[in-house]
Amino acid sequence: MIKLIIDYKIQTNNFAGTRFQNSHETMLWCSKSKDAKYTFNYKTMKYLNENKQDKSIWNIGICIGNERLKDSNGIKVHSTQKPEKLLYKAILSSTKPDDIVLDPFFGTGTTGAVAKKLGRSFIGIERDENYVSAAKIRIDAVTPELTELHNLALEVKPPRVPMEKLLEVGYLTTGQKLYSKDKKVEVIVTKKGKVNDGIEELSIHKMSAKYLGKANNNGWNYFWIECDKGFIELDRLRYDYANL
């Protein structure tokens, strides 16, 4: 099944000075039917955006430097070659490993080069033989980078392991200290699988929400622990337990 179709419009300048210069392009998300599901790798994109929810406007410059393909005379092969950073975000946000990405206006193969790097398959359609030749050389030189990020390790749902179970198997102990990442908040683990800040006893979720001024929060990602592995996120213990 083809999961993503790439079709970007050319940006146009405003030489007449009669309006604002067009400096953005619109990416359409489509599906075959109302009930069809599409892929959006929210956690992966959040990670790439310094752990903040990514926005719909990306500030990405035009393709320049060594990335720009040129012929033997130093002339640009394609006047509107897209930057790989743009296709990297588009493909990584919207596909899974081995998905097929279709680019009906393939040009010099930026979509294919990035798809191959990310471990995705692709189909490119292009009628200009010069572009096809340049794209083939370019894509043949690409080596796939099959990292955990590209394989969407962040999108895997964490194992459902309660605090009580971590206490039961000795991953946590009653009276052990948990901290916020900056260590400004310190709490004690109770025998009920909750935490106490010296004022009240709450779940890790409600306690982290309390200090963040929120109604709800994921305590697994808020609290950290000192152990033989160093200063690690509490969430790591769930994965360690699941891999026993």
Side-chain angles (χ1 to χ4, degrees):
M1 179 183 293
I2 296 174
K3 303 292 286 190
L4 177 66
I5 297 178
I6 302 294
D7 178 12
Y8 294 101
K9 304 303 180 185
I10 299 174
Q11 293 183 1
T12 57
N13 291 314
N14 177 30
F15 296 117
T18 57
R19 55 178 171 72
F20 291 115
Q21 178 182 336
N22 179 18
S23 58
H24 76 279
E25 302 182 20
T26 300
M27 182 166 61
L28 301 179
W29 294 60
C30 308
S31 59
K32 292 183 178 180
S33 68
K34 184 175 71 172
D35 297 325
K37 294 182 179 180
Y38 61 86
T39 297
F40 179 61
N41 300 316
Y42 172 82
K43 293 180 181 178
T44 300
M45 303 315 294
K46 182 178 179 181
Y47 173 82
L48 291 174
N49 194 42
E50 299 180 348
N51 210 32
K52 298 177 182 178
Q53 183 175 357
D54 206 357
K55 298 181 179 180
S56 60
I57 296 178
W58 305 340
N59 186 11
I60 298 175
I62 62 174
C63 182
I64 58 175
N66 294 332
E67 187 181 329
R68 170 72 74 171
L69 299 188
K70 298 179 180 179
D71 61 20
S72 58
N73 296 316
I75 305 299
K76 297 175 183 177
V77 174
H78 196 298
S79 60
T80 60
Q81 180 183 333
K82 298 301 180 186
E84 291 190 3
K85 185 177 180 181
L86 173 62
L87 275 300
Y88 179 86
K89 289 196 68 171
I91 294 174
L92 187 60
S93 68
S94 310
T95 66
K96 300 175 182 178
D98 297 322
D99 276 352
I100 301 174
V101 181
L102 170 64
D103 188 339
F105 306 100
F106 204 53
T108 51
T110 304
T111 297
V114 175
K116 182 179 178 181
K117 181 181 293 185
L118 294 175
R120 276 64 169 169
S121 299
F122 66 90
I123 297 173
I125 301 173
E126 178 57 55
R127 65 182 181 180
D128 189 305
E129 293 183 2
N130 291 328
Y131 295 165
V132 172
S133 177
K136 187 177 187 308
I137 294 172
R138 176 186 189 182
I139 294 169
D140 285 346
V142 172
T143 300
E145 298 177 0
L146 305 181
T147 65
E148 288 191 356
L149 183 69
H150 296 167
N151 287 330
L152 306 181
L154 295 178
E155 303 302 323
V156 177
K157 290 185 178 180
R160 296 179 64 85
V161 181
M163 286 279 286
E164 293 92 329
K165 179 59 68 174
L166 296 180
L167 281 166
E168 181 182 319
V169 299
Y171 276 40
L172 290 172
T173 57
T174 300
Q176 190 169 10
K177 293 181 180 180
L178 301 182
Y179 309 88
S180 59
K181 189 176 182 180
D182 59 10
K183 290 193 173 182
K184 291 182 178 180
V185 176
E186 179 181 311
V187 297
I188 301 295
V189 177
T190 71
K191 62 181 181 180
K192 297 179 181 179
K194 297 184 178 182
V195 291
N196 193 309
D197 63 351
I199 301 174
E200 57 185 335
E201 184 176 327
L202 299 170
S203 70
I204 56 173
H205 308 300
K206 290 184 179 180
M207 187 66 77
S208 62
K210 170 184 173 180
Y211 282 94
L212 290 173
K214 297 181 177 180
N216 299 291
N217 188 67
N218 185 352
W220 292 107
N221 300 128
Y222 178 83
F223 286 110
W224 290 61
I225 183 173
E226 293 275 12
C227 63
D228 56 358
K229 295 180 180 179
F231 189 53
I232 64 171
E233 198 174 40
L234 182 64
D235 196 36
R236 282 270 303 276
L237 299 186
R238 291 198 293 178
Y239 289 91
D240 290 345
Y241 174 81
N243 292 326
L244 275 176

